[in-house]
Amino acid sequence: MSANILIIGGAGYIGSHVNALLRERGYKTIIYDNLSTGHRDMVMGPFVYGDILEPDRLEDVFITHKIDVVIHLAAKSLVPESLTRPLFYYENNISGTVNILKLMLEYNVKNILFSSTASVYGSPDVIPVTEDVKPQPNSVYGFTKLAIERMIQDASLIHNFSYVVLRYFNAAGASLDGNIGELHIPETHLIPRVLDVAMGEEPEIVIYGTDYDTPDGTCIRDYIHIVDIADAHLRAVEWMLSQKKDKSGIILNVGSGKGFSVLDVINTAVEITGKDIPVNIGERRQGDPPKLVADAKLIEKVLGWKPRYSDLKTIIKTAWKWHSGRRMKLLKPTVRNKILSK
Ligand code: UDP
């Protein structure tokens, strides 16, 4: 089935993979992105530069194209930053989504896929965590995502549109050919930081706490391959387009169901890269739950989705191919020079 899909925030890490897969499957996509964390070089197909806090600019896209589905990925998404810049997070994430939903209603767009996060769960008592566990976010970031989930649910009931909310666990890895991957400036995430050390760009990886109540004392996360995440989006879009009712809605975890510690990640990276990765022990980072692992049975049942690439070795192998290859070429020359001159 062909449909026009507007990917808001489509130049980022997740959006660029989602866009690539949808286009490969014959969908027409349009990317709207303010390039605050995304990269123009990662976008295939039509691109409109703009911010979700600029409704007039966004409206032009709805006027120019008949949109069937909105995929909303345009959020600020760092837990520590959300704790130091709360109003920025509330404004961008929540007000920005109000703008998107109002335009969808005005232009009669009946489907939205919203990228949420496992951060809505906070530090759950029971692992793996199912979708019906009461969300208790312990960061501004997690709270803004939960508020948006509620906003979408409330609006859908009254205004008759379908939604899928995907609660991602830890997105990781790169495309299998190494052509697109993760590129945050500055980088805060564990796997790319570990690979920065393997590349010799950083002297050591600091582990944020080794005194957690976990088998090796470091935090446990559910790392999910970006290609599997893209596949979840494709299936979610197809699910919405195939619904008979206007207002079908569902919230789904996207995780592998397996947990790995920070030390597991570092050890696997040493094995895959064959490089030395010096480690230092640091303080705990504010807002970090000790363990976060998905129960992913519901998404398998509803969308027939199963992770195919989310074993830690494949994740790190693909991330390494990208990290040591095309990523270096795409880094802006000034940033690259700074890294290389360290
Ligand atoms: N982490 C770490 N050192 C780093 C970056 C991350 O020890 O330089 C840990 C972090 O405390 C968490 C895990 O790695 O337990 C994953 O963090 P990341 O920022 O990649 O994702 P998050 O779970 O915060 O979404």
Side-chain angles (χ1 to χ4, degrees):
M1 187 191 300
S2 183
N4 284 336
I5 304 181
L6 171 59
I7 311 179
I8 304 178
Y13 174 39
I14 291 172
S16 53
H17 287 84
V18 170
N19 185 38
L21 181 60
L22 288 171
R23 295 184 75 78
E24 195 185 298
R25 296 303 168 89
Y27 288 95
K28 295 195 189 91
T29 62
I30 305 119
I31 307 291
Y32 185 85
D33 197 298
N34 68 1
L35 299 182
S36 60
T37 54
H39 307 279
R40 183 69 184 87
D41 294 316
M42 307 260 256
V43 175
M44 282 174 259
F47 171 78
V48 178
Y49 174 82
D51 199 293
I52 53 175
L53 296 176
E54 295 175 300
D56 293 346
R57 202 184 270 256
L58 183 55
E59 183 167 10
D60 284 344
V61 181
F62 284 84
I63 292 170
T64 319
H65 302 85
K66 166 82 191 85
I67 305 296
D68 300 298
V69 181
V70 168
I71 298 182
H72 174 19
L73 305 155
K76 294 284 144 201
S77 62
L78 299 175
V79 168
E81 186 187 45
S82 77
L83 295 168
T84 54
R85 302 182 70 193
L87 295 181
F88 175 57
Y89 270 64
Y90 280 107
E91 180 175 42
N92 187 80
N93 293 3
I94 297 184
S95 306
T97 307
V98 171
N99 290 338
I100 293 170
L101 290 174
K102 281 163 79 176
L103 286 167
M104 281 179 60
L105 298 186
E106 199 174 329
Y107 290 88
N108 203 27
V109 179
K110 290 291 185 188
N111 304 287
I112 181 165
L113 193 170
F114 173 60
S115 74
S116 191
T117 168
S119 289
V120 299
Y121 295 117
S123 302
D125 297 330
V126 179
I127 294 289
V129 61
T130 51
E131 291 85 349
D132 53 9
V133 162
K134 188 167 180 275
Q136 287 182 305
N138 49 13
S139 69
V140 171
Y141 166 59
F143 187 77
T144 61
K145 289 277 180 165
L146 183 60
I148 296 167
E149 290 187 1
R150 279 296 301 271
M151 191 197 308
I152 290 174
Q153 288 176 306
D154 291 343
S156 158
L157 279 181
I158 298 297
H159 299 292
N160 301 330
F161 60 83
S162 294
Y163 67 85
V164 175
V165 167
L166 296 179
R167 289 180 178 161
Y168 318 139
F169 284 64
N170 285 59
S175 62
L176 305 183
D177 60 7
N179 208 35
I180 42 177
E182 194 166 9
L183 177 49
H184 300 111
I185 300 169
E187 187 51 76
T188 65
H189 293 105
L190 178 65
I191 291 177
R193 274 198 168 175
V194 166
L195 298 181
D196 280 344
V197 180
M199 290 278 296
E201 290 172 15
E202 295 293 335
E204 62 186 20
I205 180 77
V206 176
I207 300 179
Y208 296 144
T210 52
D211 58 350
Y212 285 97
D213 183 17
T214 60
D216 66 23
T218 66
C219 287
I220 292 179
R221 293 288 180 277
D222 180 331
Y223 294 92
I224 178 81
H225 198 285
I226 193 73
V227 172
D228 287 328
I229 291 189
D231 181 42
H233 286 71
L234 171 70
R235 288 167 188 261
V237 165
E238 291 182 340
W239 182 84
M240 285 190 288
L241 292 174
S242 69
Q243 295 302 299
K244 304 266 180 305
K245 287 184 295 169
D246 257 0
K247 49 180 174 186
S248 307
I250 193 152
I251 296 182
L252 299 168
N253 284 342
V254 187
S256 72
K258 297 195 188 79
F260 294 98
S261 72
V262 175
L263 280 175
D264 290 333
V265 169
I266 297 170
N267 292 336
T268 308
V270 170
E271 192 187 324
I272 301 282
T273 63
K275 308 278 185 189
D276 263 356
I277 302 185
V279 162
N280 210 336
I281 311 296
E283 296 293 309
R284 286 184 177 199
R285 185 174 68 173
Q286 202 191 352
D288 264 344
K291 291 182 215 158
L292 209 41
V293 179
D295 180 311
K297 289 193 198 74
L298 189 58
I299 185 168
E300 182 177 350
K301 193 169 145 217
V302 176
L303 301 183
W305 175 90
K306 264 190 187 173
R308 285 183 297 165
Y309 304 106
S310 294
D311 60 287
L312 203 47
K313 281 192 181 169
T314 305
I315 286 175
I316 293 180
K317 251 186 215 162
T318 54
W320 180 236
K321 191 169 181 184
W322 151 257
H323 205 92
S324 54
R326 185 166 184 242
R327 172 186 157 277
M328 274 313 271
K329 297 195 192 95
L330 285 185
L331 275 174
K332 294 182 180 66
T334 43
V335 179
R336 192 166 60 228
N337 290 342
K338 208 174 115 210
I339 290 171
L340 293 175
S341 67
K342 267 192 185 171

